[in-house]
PDB file of all heavy atoms in Angstrom:
ATOM      1  N   TYR B 250      -1.695  63.584 -51.954  1.00 90.00           N
ATOM      2  CA  TYR B 250      -0.989  64.862 -51.920  1.00 90.00           C
ATOM      3  C   TYR B 250      -1.659  65.907 -52.813  1.00 90.00           C
ATOM      4  O   TYR B 250      -1.887  67.035 -52.397  1.00 90.00           O
ATOM      5  CB  TYR B 250       0.456  64.651 -52.354  1.00 90.00           C
ATOM      6  CG  TYR B 250       1.206  65.935 -52.628  1.00 90.00           C
ATOM      7  CD1 TYR B 250       1.540  66.798 -51.589  1.00 90.00           C
ATOM      8  CD2 TYR B 250       1.548  66.311 -53.927  1.00 90.00           C
ATOM      9  CE1 TYR B 250       2.197  67.997 -51.828  1.00 90.00           C
ATOM     10  CE2 TYR B 250       2.199  67.498 -54.171  1.00 90.00           C
ATOM     11  CZ  TYR B 250       2.516  68.324 -53.126  1.00 90.00           C
ATOM     12  OH  TYR B 250       3.159  69.509 -53.372  1.00 90.00           O
ATOM     13  N   ARG B 251      -1.981  65.523 -54.052  1.00 86.00           N
ATOM     14  CA  ARG B 251      -2.460  66.558 -54.964  1.00 86.00           C
ATOM     15  C   ARG B 251      -3.867  67.038 -54.649  1.00 86.00           C
ATOM     16  O   ARG B 251      -4.300  68.045 -55.182  1.00 86.00           O
ATOM     17  CB  ARG B 251      -2.318  66.149 -56.426  1.00 86.00           C
ATOM     18  CG  ARG B 251      -3.097  65.029 -56.920  1.00 86.00           C
ATOM     19  CD  ARG B 251      -2.800  64.721 -58.373  1.00 86.00           C
ATOM     20  NE  ARG B 251      -3.514  65.559 -59.321  1.00 86.00           N
ATOM     21  CZ  ARG B 251      -3.205  65.654 -60.615  1.00 86.00           C
ATOM     22  NH1 ARG B 251      -2.167  65.023 -61.094  1.00 86.00           N
ATOM     23  NH2 ARG B 251      -3.895  66.407 -61.415  1.00 86.00           N
ATOM     24  N   LYS B 252      -4.572  66.327 -53.770  1.00 90.00           N
ATOM     25  CA  LYS B 252      -5.876  66.822 -53.344  1.00 90.00           C
ATOM     26  C   LYS B 252      -5.766  67.621 -52.053  1.00 90.00           C
ATOM     27  O   LYS B 252      -6.760  67.936 -51.432  1.00 90.00           O
ATOM     28  CB  LYS B 252      -6.851  65.653 -53.105  1.00 90.00           C
ATOM     29  CG  LYS B 252      -7.181  64.871 -54.353  1.00 90.00           C
ATOM     30  CD  LYS B 252      -8.048  65.645 -55.293  1.00 90.00           C
ATOM     31  CE  LYS B 252      -8.408  64.832 -56.510  1.00 90.00           C
ATOM     32  NZ  LYS B 252      -9.117  65.578 -57.516  1.00 90.00           N
ATOM     33  N   GLY B 253      -4.552  67.931 -51.648  1.00 91.00           N
ATOM     34  CA  GLY B 253      -4.343  68.854 -50.523  1.00 91.00           C
ATOM     35  C   GLY B 253      -4.608  68.266 -49.151  1.00 91.00           C
ATOM     36  O   GLY B 253      -5.027  68.990 -48.249  1.00 91.00           O
ATOM     37  N   ALA B 254      -4.371  66.981 -48.970  1.00 92.00           N
ATOM     38  CA  ALA B 254      -4.633  66.378 -47.663  1.00 92.00           C
ATOM     39  C   ALA B 254      -3.719  66.994 -46.596  1.00 92.00           C
ATOM     40  O   ALA B 254      -4.106  67.097 -45.424  1.00 92.00           O
ATOM     41  CB  ALA B 254      -4.437  64.879 -47.743  1.00 92.00           C
ATOM     42  N   ASP B 255      -2.531  67.412 -46.992  1.00 92.00           N
ATOM     43  CA  ASP B 255      -1.622  68.026 -46.012  1.00 92.00           C
ATOM     44  C   ASP B 255      -2.155  69.355 -45.529  1.00 92.00           C
ATOM     45  O   ASP B 255      -1.969  69.721 -44.366  1.00 92.00           O
ATOM     46  CB  ASP B 255      -0.244  68.235 -46.653  1.00 92.00           C
ATOM     47  CG  ASP B 255       0.388  66.926 -47.065  1.00 92.00           C
ATOM     48  OD1 ASP B 255       0.501  66.043 -46.194  1.00 92.00           O
ATOM     49  OD2 ASP B 255       0.745  66.786 -48.241  1.00 92.00           O
ATOM     50  N   LEU B 256      -2.831  70.093 -46.395  1.00 93.00           N
ATOM     51  CA  LEU B 256      -3.432  71.355 -45.965  1.00 93.00           C
ATOM     52  C   LEU B 256      -4.497  71.101 -44.914  1.00 93.00           C
ATOM     53  O   LEU B 256      -4.643  71.848 -43.933  1.00 93.00           O
ATOM     54  CB  LEU B 256      -4.094  72.050 -47.161  1.00 93.00           C
ATOM     55  CG  LEU B 256      -3.221  72.956 -48.016  1.00 93.00           C
ATOM     56  CD1 LEU B 256      -4.040  73.491 -49.166  1.00 93.00           C
ATOM     57  CD2 LEU B 256      -2.682  74.099 -47.194  1.00 93.00           C
ATOM     58  N   LEU B 257      -5.260  70.030 -45.102  1.00 93.00           N
ATOM     59  CA  LEU B 257      -6.331  69.703 -44.152  1.00 93.00           C
ATOM     60  C   LEU B 257      -5.756  69.482 -42.750  1.00 93.00           C
ATOM     61  O   LEU B 257      -6.334  69.902 -41.756  1.00 93.00           O
ATOM     62  CB  LEU B 257      -7.032  68.424 -44.594  1.00 93.00           C
ATOM     63  CG  LEU B 257      -8.067  68.518 -45.717  1.00 93.00           C
ATOM     64  CD1 LEU B 257      -8.635  67.146 -45.990  1.00 93.00           C
ATOM     65  CD2 LEU B 257      -9.172  69.466 -45.346  1.00 93.00           C
ATOM     66  N   VAL B 258      -4.594  68.808 -42.729  1.00 93.00           N
ATOM     67  CA  VAL B 258      -3.964  68.488 -41.444  1.00 93.00           C
ATOM     68  C   VAL B 258      -3.664  69.762 -40.658  1.00 93.00           C
ATOM     69  O   VAL B 258      -3.716  69.787 -39.442  1.00 93.00           O
ATOM     70  CB  VAL B 258      -2.686  67.665 -41.695  1.00 93.00           C
ATOM     71  CG1 VAL B 258      -1.893  67.502 -40.420  1.00 93.00           C
ATOM     72  CG2 VAL B 258      -3.024  66.312 -42.253  1.00 93.00           C
ATOM     73  N   GLU B 259      -3.363  70.858 -41.350  1.00 93.00           N
ATOM     74  CA  GLU B 259      -3.053  72.110 -40.657  1.00 93.00           C
ATOM     75  C   GLU B 259      -4.306  72.916 -40.361  1.00 93.00           C
ATOM     76  O   GLU B 259      -4.387  73.620 -39.361  1.00 93.00           O
ATOM     77  CB  GLU B 259      -2.148  72.963 -41.558  1.00 93.00           C
ATOM     78  CG  GLU B 259      -1.068  72.165 -42.263  1.00 93.00           C
ATOM     79  CD  GLU B 259       0.311  72.717 -42.004  1.00 93.00           C
ATOM     80  OE1 GLU B 259       0.398  73.879 -41.594  1.00 93.00           O
ATOM     81  OE2 GLU B 259       1.258  71.979 -42.215  1.00 93.00           O
ATOM     82  N   VAL B 260      -5.263  72.830 -41.276  1.00 95.00           N
ATOM     83  CA  VAL B 260      -6.436  73.705 -41.168  1.00 95.00           C
ATOM     84  C   VAL B 260      -7.418  73.224 -40.101  1.00 95.00           C
ATOM     85  O   VAL B 260      -7.949  74.026 -39.336  1.00 95.00           O
ATOM     86  CB  VAL B 260      -7.137  73.787 -42.561  1.00 95.00           C
ATOM     87  CG1 VAL B 260      -8.528  74.304 -42.450  1.00 95.00           C
ATOM     88  CG2 VAL B 260      -6.313  74.655 -43.477  1.00 95.00           C
ATOM     89  N   ILE B 261      -7.648  71.917 -40.050  1.00 94.00           N
ATOM     90  CA  ILE B 261      -8.707  71.412 -39.170  1.00 94.00           C
ATOM     91  C   ILE B 261      -8.471  71.750 -37.688  1.00 94.00           C
ATOM     92  O   ILE B 261      -9.386  72.278 -37.030  1.00 94.00           O
ATOM     93  CB  ILE B 261      -8.898  69.881 -39.367  1.00 94.00           C
ATOM     94  CG1 ILE B 261      -9.468  69.612 -40.756  1.00 94.00           C
ATOM     95  CG2 ILE B 261      -9.828  69.303 -38.309  1.00 94.00           C
ATOM     96  CD1 ILE B 261      -9.678  68.153 -41.087  1.00 94.00           C
TER      97      ILE B 261
END
Side-chain angles (χ1 to χ4, degrees):
Chain B
Y250 168 70
R251 65 182 277 165
K252 295 290 182 187
D255 298 306
L256 273 178
L257 281 180
V258 171
E259 319 234 341
V260 162
I261 293 179

